[in-house]
Amino acid sequence: MGLRLAEGVDVTRYEMLSGTMIDANRISDLCDDGFLSRDGNHRIKVTPKGVPVLNRVIAELVANEA
């Protein structure tokens, strides 16, 4: 839900609280595609391009590897 906020999500804090790691490659891919941006080393934010597809961006971040 933090991606719906202007301050975004601290990935390290999310991983600590959830016990789930977010794949750094997924973050990089979503940043490269313009849906996310990095704010410092550990914080990610949704971009204007990512807002209309935010539910899909979130699903992509938290999807488990099969």
Side-chain angles (χ1 to χ4, degrees):
M1 295 302 286
L3 284 176
R4 298 184 190 285
L5 305 174
E7 60 267 13
V9 171
D10 180 322
V11 175
T12 304
R13 186 169 191 276
Y14 170 84
E15 290 173 347
M16 184 179 68
L17 292 173
S18 70
T20 304
M21 300 288 290
I22 298 176
D23 185 347
N25 291 328
R26 284 192 177 132
I27 293 172
S28 292
D29 289 346
L30 289 166
C31 287
D32 291 345
D33 292 338
F35 297 112
L36 291 177
S37 66
R38 288 187 177 96
D39 184 15
N41 290 333
H42 302 287
R43 188 167 289 280
I44 55 174
K45 297 179 179 184
V46 68
T47 64
K49 180 180 177 180
V51 170
V53 292
L54 183 56
N55 287 341
R56 180 64 186 146
V57 170
I58 293 169
E60 187 66 30
L61 284 172
V62 298
N64 292 324
E65 298 275 340

